[in-house]
Each structure stands twice: as C-alpha cells, then as structure tokens.
Amino acid sequence: AQTVTQSQPEMSVQEAETVTLSCTYDTSESDYYLFWYKQPPSRQMILVIRQEAYKQQNATENRFSVNFQKAAKSFSLKISDSQLGDAAMYFCAYTLRGHNFNKFYFGSGTKLNVKP
Amino acid sequence: NAGVTQTPKFQVLKTGQSMTLQCAQDMNHEYMSWYRQDPGMGLRLIHYSVGAGITDQGEVPNGYNVSRSTTEDFPLRLLSAAPSQTSVYFCASSSAQERTQYFGPGTRLLVL
C-alpha cells in the first residue's frame, strides 16, 4: 500500500529557531517525486519544496531544506530561522514517476505553531 | 498568469440541491484533480482527468460527477447534496512532465 506518515500532529518552535518536521512513506517503486506543501489559515495549498527521488542531493529553497533518506523512506523538512508567517499545516506527499496519472499520496499533516 | 482558479469561494446548499464547482487553469496542464479536505482526514481524491475527454474516479467519487471538455476547465458537479458533503474542495492541476500539483484556493461548501 502507498502510504505517507507524519508522526507529529502538532509542533511548536520559537521565532528565529530551527524546526524539523518528519515524514516517512511506503512505496515499492524506485522512481518518484516528494513534496512538502504548506497550508496557512487561508487554506491555500502552497508548494514549499520538491525532491526527485533519483537525485541524491537534498533540495533547498531559502530557509527550507529537506533530509531525504531513500533507503529509510524518510523525507523530513527543516525550517531555519522560523518566522511567524511559517505557522501553518504542513503536508508531506509523493507521486510516482512514469505512471499515466500522477496520483498524489498525502500525509495527514503537521500543524506548526511559531511563538514570538 | 492566474494559475488555478475556483469559484465560488463559499457556498451554502440545502440537502438535495445540486450545484457545480468551477475550476480552471491557464498553465496548459494535462492533469487535473478534485480533492476534498475534511478535518483530521487530509486530502482525499474525488475524481481526476488526464486530458480533455478523459476522466476517472478517485477514492471518494460517490455523489460527484465530472467532465472535461477542454484542457482548461474541470467542473465538479454535486448531484444531490448531502450533509456528508460539507467540506473544503480543492482543484489541482499538473503537467505530465513536471508532476508538481498546483492548487486552487479552495471552495468551502456547507450542506444543511
């Protein structure tokens, strides 16, 4: 079964500190894409970062970076220098490459609180 | 470049009424999808399309119909609204090459 597990339903971080959100997934395929999406109170789903499974180098986008461990099927998100605007739900997801339709498998989300 | 747009933003329906949620994208994406998001349940796929004229069911298709006559538009029809369909609905699109899904702003639906 294709599943995504986010084991931390809620986390808190102090402004300017660093926080890491965990994600593990289960697939027997070897070629896929991984994503982190942010959903602020406005409900808009915003792409944070994208990783291609065949690339060993971890993706980074400004203050956001991932730790991709393919053998462990782990894809954690690190947020550095946390800002109040980072407070949101964060969803981990993946989709398989090479299929006719890229069905997305989403985790249940982690709510991130940022304390001033 | 508007990306993915959805209308309406909010709708109240009575049980048994029908309505259509509109979704449009201007990125020439092949793939389009409809999700519903309920508290504590994440995103669940309702229907999807891999191109104009081609649609298929997702995880929770009952009570919903879709069609895709053009690349740009992918409306979702509620045939006879039920309180269980109270949810937030998201439309998303992606290209076959890039595979990243881009989401619309969502439609909040309340069925009384």
Side-chain angles (χ1 to χ4, degrees):
Chain A
Q2 320 275 10
T3 59
V4 179
T5 302
Q6 294 181 245
S7 58
Q8 307 145 317
E10 189 165 356
M11 297 187 70
S12 294
V13 64
Q14 207 71 34
E15 197 175 5
E17 303 269 300
T18 295
V19 64
T20 299
L21 309 184
S22 301
C23 173
T24 58
Y25 56 94
D26 187 17
T27 178
S28 58
E29 306 262 348
S30 61
D31 204 0
Y32 46 87
Y33 302 87
L34 293 150
F35 305 86
W36 279 97
Y37 283 89
K38 168 185 176 181
Q39 187 178 41
S42 66
R43 292 200 184 96
Q44 176 76 52
M45 291 285 286
I46 302 165
L47 176 68
V48 174
I49 203 163
R50 175 179 182 267
Q51 172 83 40
E52 296 177 57
Y54 70 88
K55 290 186 177 178
Q56 293 189 341
Q57 186 173 4
N58 289 324
T60 61
E61 285 288 340
N62 300 315
R63 298 182 294 106
F64 298 88
S65 62
V66 298
N67 183 4
F68 174 44
Q69 302 288 328
K70 191 172 185 179
K73 296 181 182 176
S74 171
F75 184 60
S76 60
L77 175 71
K78 186 171 85 171
I79 306 173
S80 304
D81 185 26
S82 296
Q83 300 175 359
L84 295 177
D86 295 334
M89 283 289 288
Y90 287 82
F91 292 95
C92 176
Y94 77 90
T95 186
L96 303 175
R97 190 173 183 175
H99 287 224
N100 188 36
F101 171 68
N102 59 323
K103 176 176 168 55
F104 266 57
Y105 301 90
F106 285 93
S108 55
T110 295
K111 183 180 180 183
L112 179 66
N113 303 304
V114 181
K115 300 177 182 177
Chain B
N1 191 341
V4 181
T5 58
Q6 291 183 239
T7 55
K9 290 184 180 179
F10 177 65
Q11 183 73 45
V12 179
L13 289 179
K14 294 181 180 178
T15 297
Q17 287 184 318
S18 62
M19 79 160 293
T20 299
L21 279 62
Q22 301 291 344
C23 174
Q25 54 96 3
D26 61 1
M27 297 174 280
N28 203 32
H29 286 169
E30 298 92 334
Y31 303 151
M32 295 187 75
S33 310
W34 275 103
Y35 294 89
R36 61 177 288 172
Q37 185 179 31
D38 302 300
M41 299 195 72
L43 287 151
R44 293 186 291 170
L45 183 64
I46 304 171
H47 285 286
Y48 65 93
S49 169
V50 298
I54 308 170
T55 64
D56 206 344
Q57 297 180 351
E59 305 168 64
V60 288
N62 292 339
Y64 308 95
N65 272 353
V66 291
S67 61
R68 190 158 176 214
S69 56
T70 67
T71 299
E72 295 78 20
D73 299 301
F74 191 44
L76 177 73
R77 296 182 187 84
L78 278 69
L79 308 172
S80 177
S84 61
Q85 293 178 304
T86 293
S87 189
V88 179
Y89 292 85
F90 288 97
C91 179
S93 74
S94 57
S95 72
Q97 183 176 6
E98 190 202 359
R99 302 275 171 157
T100 301
Q101 281 201 344
Y102 296 93
F103 287 83
T107 293
R108 184 168 163 243
L109 179 67
L110 176 61
V111 183
L112 302 174

